Amino acid sequence: MIYVGGVPFQSDGPSSSEGSKILLALMEHPTLVSASCSFKSTPERKFSASEDSGLQRGTGCKWVYVFQREYATVDPALVDLVGTDEATTCVGLAIRNHKSGMTSVGHLDSPDVVETGLTQMLSLVVDQNSDEMLEVHLVGGYNDSSPQGMDSVISNHTDHSGFSFPLCAKIVETLEKSDMVFHLQTLHVLENNTKQDSEGNAYPIFNGFMVEPSTGSIFPANFDRTSRCPDEVVRRIRLSSSYEDPSWNGRLLETYDIPTDRFVIAPCAWTIRQLQIAMMLQNLSDAQILLTCSTSPSVEAPDFVENERRQWDYLKKHPDWKETFPMKQPRIFERTPSGRWKRSPVARADAESKLCTTE
């Protein structure tokens, strides 16, 4: 069930259970419109783990970064910031327990992962039988449906082209149908998150956000490569591999372990087919890569193509996935006193020891 401004949200009409109509009504709610305007006026925070970058970091800042189709739930006693970016047609979802501060952030990229993904995110945020207040924020998913903007979407409820609208609709429908109470505080999606250039082309205003679990504050955010960690390239490859792994169907990828404050990157296998595709794509031009690999080629960040090529380079250098995950053991990263991440020497040595034992 969705609450807005402290009261239950009610959508008019006999088909109010449909996600599209719930979404359209929420987009016009005065409280959420005001919240979106406030969010839009908040300066975007540039986040970096590099001490020489000149960007926001903070001495000893402890952060957790979430990639596409991942989620992470964090404890405010252990983590200062949790966030995600690189979202164009994807949507970042944050759920925070107002009482405990436990916060979960997911980077949702398809309606197919919403229902199970929401269950995953809630599993460590709150007791399913409790009635604790849950704060919810949605950021991302610009209006890629049509050049005419939101007016055309409202005038035709049954025809939604693009990727963003169906995903947003599925999220709010799932929240509304739940027995739990979700206090929706930010709905910065679609038209609210869209700007246009001089030629009328639509672009997202923000591609990411960060949440302070201790306070519940949320800010527009952009992370650089040094802060999209740990194990950036392997985690990007794991996303691609997950599409061919039936065990991950409809699920978000797990990365962060709350009790130990560690990243645990579960093993994934890349296939010969994946390697062949990588070699083929590597020969394409930058423009062709954008058109082939992105749902929104005209609005991707400047480093999109480079990030894709780095994945393919890694696959070519490590064609056997067992080199990356010896004995099918996870890659574990621990936090340093400065707040950064480093590969666990114990976990690495253990994997290598097991490998030597079998040889």
Side-chain angles (χ1 to χ4, degrees), residues 133-151:
M133 177 178 173
L134 298 177
E135 305 162 356
V136 177
H137 307 272
L138 276 72
V139 178
Y142 80 113
N143 183 21
D144 65 328
S145 60
S146 71
Q148 287 76 33
M150 201 62 166
D151 290 342

Side-chain angles (χ1 to χ4, degrees), residues 133-343:
M133 177 178 173
L134 298 177
E135 305 162 356
V136 177
H137 307 272
L138 276 72
V139 178
Y142 80 113
N143 183 21
D144 65 328
S145 60
S146 71
Q148 287 76 33
M150 201 62 166
D151 290 342
S152 66
V153 176
I154 294 174
S155 65
N156 188 352
H157 296 329
T158 61
D159 181 18
H160 302 308
S161 59
F163 295 91
S164 300
F165 191 95
L167 175 56
C168 293
K170 182 64 176 179
I171 294 172
V172 298
E173 179 180 27
T174 304
L175 294 174
E176 177 63 14
K177 288 183 176 180
S178 173
D179 292 332
M180 303 189 74
V181 175
F182 298 98
H183 292 261
L184 185 57
Q185 299 186 342
T186 307
L187 186 63
H188 194 75
V189 299
L190 301 173
E191 193 71 8
N192 292 342
N193 191 41
T194 303
K195 60 184 178 181
Q196 293 186 333
D197 62 18
S198 59
E199 298 180 356
N201 299 310
Y203 292 83
I205 297 173
F206 299 123
N207 297 91
F209 65 90
M210 62 172 65
V211 179
E212 292 182 348
S214 61
T215 65
S217 298
I218 181 171
F219 311 93
N222 176 271
F223 297 77
D224 71 3
R225 185 185 297 177
T226 67
S227 58
R228 293 176 186 142
C229 60
D231 224 11
E232 177 209 357
V233 173
V234 171
R235 285 164 70 186
R236 290 185 187 275
I237 292 173
R238 188 177 66 150
L239 167 64
S240 302
S241 300
S242 70
Y243 294 121
E244 299 186 9
D245 186 344
S247 67
W248 285 107
N249 285 349
R251 295 174 56 83
L252 295 175
L253 299 171
E254 299 163 345
T255 55
Y256 174 77
D257 184 59
I258 298 177
T260 61
D261 188 31
R262 301 189 303 178
F263 269 87
V264 181
I265 314 302
C268 65
W270 38 90
T271 63
I272 295 297
R273 176 176 175 273
Q274 219 173 328
L275 294 171
Q276 292 172 338
I277 292 174
M279 289 186 286
M280 176 194 71
L281 292 173
Q282 191 70 290
N283 294 323
L284 298 181
S285 67
D286 289 0
Q288 289 172 320
I289 290 173
L290 281 167
L291 291 172
T292 304
C293 302
S294 173
T295 58
S296 50
S298 64
V299 302
E300 291 291 357
D303 61 352
F304 177 86
V305 171
E306 180 184 2
N307 290 335
E308 294 294 303
R309 291 193 185 279
R310 289 192 297 120
Q311 295 175 62
W312 305 329
D313 285 340
Y314 186 95
L315 290 173
K316 289 167 66 177
K317 293 176 182 178
H318 306 278
D320 186 353
W321 65 272
K322 294 177 183 177
E323 295 178 13
T324 302
F325 297 98
M327 298 300 297
K328 301 182 181 180
Q329 295 298 301
R331 294 164 65 88
I332 298 176
F333 292 81
E334 300 174 337
R335 198 185 295 278
T336 68
S338 65
R340 299 190 184 195
W341 297 100
K342 68 174 182 179
R343 183 85 180 274

